[in-house]
Amino acid sequence: MHCSSCEPLLDRYVEGTLPARRMLAIGKHLRTCAHCTDMLTELKVIDALLETTGATEPAANFTFAVMAEVRSMPKPRTVRHPAPRLLLSYLAAAWVVAVVWFVASGATLGSLVTGASALGLRFASAFSSVGGGAGVLGHSTPSLAALGVALLAIDAAIALGVGIIYLFVRPRLAAAFAPSAERS
């Protein structure tokens, strides 16, 4: 047996938890190796020292001192998540594109609403019959754009709701449900 395979097993040798063949092989190695015998002696001394130590009790004011230290520490900073900023940037860009299209096309709001409803009826009739989808987008491109603007408006409403919840409602709920010690 070599020292490199004996050394990791010395603690189990001291405890007597090795199989009998290993115990005999390590005992044989220890009779011929001064280095491993010295390590075994050190392990026995350390084990004896560990057995003689008693349980230590913390100081009487330990909890008070730790809590005072914790209270004196600065409050942790909240991490700002970029999701609301990204969502608002997306919506701003989408609205800029929609407004530029609206101004460039010379369309009115009434024509957009009328076009969106007509497009909805046209899609319903085109897809109700099999094979009728070939002429769906013919002259209704402005109506399709109106539908896109309507979807952007829905996007904006959802984003506004998420933003309000994230920026105003969430911190208030967190403060309301925080333990009373953290409120002060």
Side-chain angles (χ1 to χ4, degrees):
M1 178 175 262
H2 297 286
C3 292
S4 61
S5 60
C6 179
E7 288 176 5
L9 300 174
L10 286 178
D11 57 339
R12 293 180 54 198
Y13 179 80
V14 170
E15 295 169 355
T17 59
L18 289 173
R21 279 180 64 178
R22 285 279 178 159
M23 294 285 283
L24 291 173
I26 292 175
K28 183 179 175 184
H29 176 76
L30 288 172
R31 285 190 288 274
T32 61
C33 179
H35 173 73
C36 289
T37 305
D38 290 342
M39 285 191 72
L40 180 66
T41 305
E42 285 182 36
L43 277 173
K44 287 181 177 179
V45 168
I46 291 171
D47 279 351
L49 287 173
L50 288 174
E51 288 178 8
T52 60
T53 60
T56 57
E57 290 294 322
N61 67 344
F62 176 76
T63 303
F64 179 77
V66 169
M67 293 309 294
E69 182 69 26
V70 168
R71 282 188 209 99
S72 69
M73 296 172 71
K75 276 189 164 183
R77 288 183 34 202
T78 57
V79 177
R80 289 290 197 186
H81 299 286
R85 283 188 222 128
L86 290 174
L87 185 61
L88 291 175
S89 299
Y90 155 74
L91 283 173
W95 274 102
V96 166
V97 169
V99 168
V100 166
W101 171 83
F102 187 73
V103 170
S105 70
T108 63
L109 188 58
S111 68
L112 290 177
V113 171
T114 305
S117 63
L119 181 65
L121 291 173
R122 192 155 187 191
F123 271 117
S125 66
F127 288 112
S128 64
S129 63
V130 177
V136 171
L137 296 178
H139 296 295
S140 62
T141 302
S143 300
L144 185 58
L147 181 63
V149 170
L151 289 175
L152 283 174
I154 293 170
D155 259 358
I158 291 171
L160 183 64
V162 168
I164 288 172
I165 289 171
Y166 186 80
L167 296 174
F168 299 107
V169 175
R170 187 181 60 92
R172 289 185 181 161
L173 285 174
F177 290 113
S180 60
E182 292 179 7
R183 289 183 192 166
S184 56

